[in-house]
Amino acid sequence: MKPLRAARPLVISTKSLVALVLSASPAVALGAGCGVADSVPSPSAGAYEGTDHEPTGTGAASSSAASSGAGPSGGGAAGPGASSGAGRAEVIGTVVSRHDVVRIIALGDTGEGNLAQNQVADRMSEKCVEVGGCHAVMMNGDNFYDHGVVDTSDAQWGPKFEQPYDRPGLNGLPFYAVLGNHDHGPSSSGARQAQIDYSQLPVGDGPGMRLTGKWHMPASYYDVRVGDVHLFGIDTVDFTSDDQARDMSARVAASDATWKIVFGHHPRFTSGAHASDNPSLGASGMFAMQQAIYCGADMYMAGHDHNLEFIDKGRDESCPSTYFAISGAGSKTRAVSPSVPTERGQLFFTDKTEGFAYLRFEGRNLLFEFIDKQGVVIFTTTMAK
């Protein structure tokens, strides 16, 4: 493990403080901000072409698995206003870049609306501005603490999603979200369909509208291709779904993308606090469902444990080419007992700071970084195919 660099003094931007204060008043809505339209692709689905910094919409959505690399289900790509419901996967579009570079942020367990979430959002924005624009954000579940949202007008949408990510480097980005155990399921009173339906709302500031088009969850499990990076979002709360395992594993197998990333809420391997209860879910079938999908992918990204962890490929002997990462410190951390064993193949772990993952894909090379809430790169590694 690489030693941590000395942390910089805590700097809280004015925007963080404003967002934090506004979080106490869900009725107050922030505007969309200034945006960086020349740095990132449009959040609407469909096919986009252009330079890495100035994409131009073609107006045509991908129409088949062959054209989009979207997997065996084919069919038209649903836009952000289309909802397929909870029971079937959906391809929501293809973002095509003339350059091979794709930059993606990944984080989870975000839904607190607290100071730490706003600090992490500031650092995400700064990173995207620094690198010339990002292309997407993956959200690894537990999007709203403690019990999800009940409908599309729930007061939590503003302070726990729209306001924290109203940042210059994030405005215009699609946020691809999956569900966590606090969003729906036996331990939550939240409505799964509410998070899916929010994707359908028109953008505006009136009743029945959403502030931005950032939020993307066309179904409880789905896939989307960003350039030559194919993302597969799964619902690990609904791990008994045979349809999900069959459908998504077929999509992974059929994709011709250079990079395939599966992301869900519950980890397969973890050195965090959930190392003690995760095996019980695995014994109930969750591990088999996860493995059926990620085994053909390059990485399985999860949240649930409120820490940052990277595990080398080879940890799952049945899937020797798959790396494992946990980015679940989007708004808080959870201290881990010294008695929790360290996962074999662990290359990095911290439960000391909130932060996020940054992934830069260029051809057959991937740069992976963990960045903390003060902007310090606390871990970096590279992968090649």
Side-chain angles (χ1 to χ4, degrees):
M1 181 189 307
K2 297 186 178 182
L4 300 185
R5 290 167 45 189
R8 299 202 303 261
L10 177 62
V11 176
I12 304 173
S13 74
T14 301
K15 204 167 189 64
S16 280
L17 292 175
V18 170
L20 183 62
V21 171
L22 287 176
S23 69
S25 178
V28 180
L30 288 178
C34 61
V36 281
D38 62 338
S39 300
V40 295
S42 166
S44 57
Y48 291 86
E49 295 180 351
T51 66
D52 206 31
H53 302 301
E54 297 181 348
T56 302
T58 66
S62 59
S63 60
S64 69
S67 64
S68 69
S73 63
S83 172
S84 64
R88 63 183 253 262
E90 188 68 47
V91 177
I92 63 176
T94 301
V95 178
V96 180
S97 172
R98 289 178 185 163
H99 294 298
D100 287 335
V101 178
V102 174
R103 307 178 191 92
I104 295 176
I105 297 288
L107 76 168
D109 304 79
T110 55
E112 288 286 356
N114 60 4
L115 177 60
Q117 184 178 0
N118 281 272
Q119 290 174 311
V120 171
D122 278 333
R123 305 294 88 78
M124 292 164 57
S125 174
E126 291 167 1
K127 181 66 175 182
C128 289
V129 170
E130 173 191 334
V131 299
C134 295
H135 296 89
V137 177
M138 293 190 297
M139 297 184 69
N140 299 332
D142 278 2
N143 308 310
F144 300 94
Y145 286 104
D146 285 320
H147 292 287
V149 290
V150 297
D151 55 35
T152 57
S153 61
D154 195 299
Q156 298 178 90
W157 281 106
K160 296 183 180 180
F161 177 71
E162 297 285 4
Q163 292 162 14
Y165 304 116
D166 177 23
R167 300 289 189 271
L170 304 178
N171 290 334
L173 289 186
F175 280 60
Y176 298 114
V178 294
L179 296 156
N181 58 291
H182 282 273
D183 295 312
H184 82 109
S187 60
S188 171
S189 58
R192 170 171 59 182
Q193 195 63 37
Q195 296 195 34
I196 296 170
D197 289 346
Y198 193 73
S199 298
Q200 299 185 51
L201 298 183
V203 175
D205 59 1
M209 307 181 85
R210 52 181 174 152
L211 289 177
T212 70
K214 288 185 175 77
W215 182 267
H216 290 264
M217 187 188 289
S220 61
Y221 55 94
Y222 62 95
D223 67 298
V224 59
R225 185 160 170 170
V226 184
D228 208 22
V229 181
H230 208 148
L231 307 177
F232 302 85
I234 64 174
D235 180 3
T236 60
V237 180
D238 189 17
F239 59 80
T240 60
S241 170
D242 292 336
D243 288 342
Q244 178 178 190
R246 284 194 299 267
D247 191 350
M248 296 302 284
S249 62
R251 288 169 180 257
V252 171
S255 174
D256 64 353
T258 300
W259 293 95
K260 306 178 190 182
I261 309 296
V262 177
F263 66 112
H265 184 61
H266 292 86
R268 172 60 182 89
F269 302 105
T270 177
S271 306
H274 283 294
S276 59
D277 56 66
N278 214 43
S280 64
L281 294 175
S284 300
M286 186 180 72
F287 290 168
M289 184 274 281
Q290 293 170 326
Q291 187 185 71
I293 300 169
Y294 71 60
C295 204
D298 300 290
M299 182 180 295
Y300 176 54
M301 170 79 70
H304 197 45
D305 268 323
H306 303 161
N307 51 247
L308 305 171
E309 182 171 18
F310 192 91
I311 298 171
D312 202 0
K313 65 181 180 180
R315 177 63 184 91
D316 187 336
E317 295 178 356
S318 298
C319 314
S321 298
T322 304
Y323 294 87
F324 297 88
I326 296 175
S327 184
S331 67
K332 57 187 176 182
T333 61
R334 181 188 290 121
V336 179
S337 168
S339 63
V340 174
T342 297
E343 276 292 346
R344 176 168 52 84
Q346 182 195 96
L347 300 181
F348 178 81
F349 177 89
T350 182
D351 59 0
K352 305 303 182 186
T353 182
E354 294 85 0
F356 62 95
Y358 168 73
L359 294 81
R360 181 184 186 275
F361 303 86
E362 183 172 13
R364 302 184 67 83
N365 297 296
L366 167 57
L367 168 69
F368 184 102
E369 296 177 343
F370 280 131
I371 302 172
D372 73 9
K373 65 181 179 182
Q374 297 187 48
V376 178
V377 178
I378 55 178
F379 171 73
T380 183
T381 188
T382 56
M383 289 150 271
K385 301 189 71 175

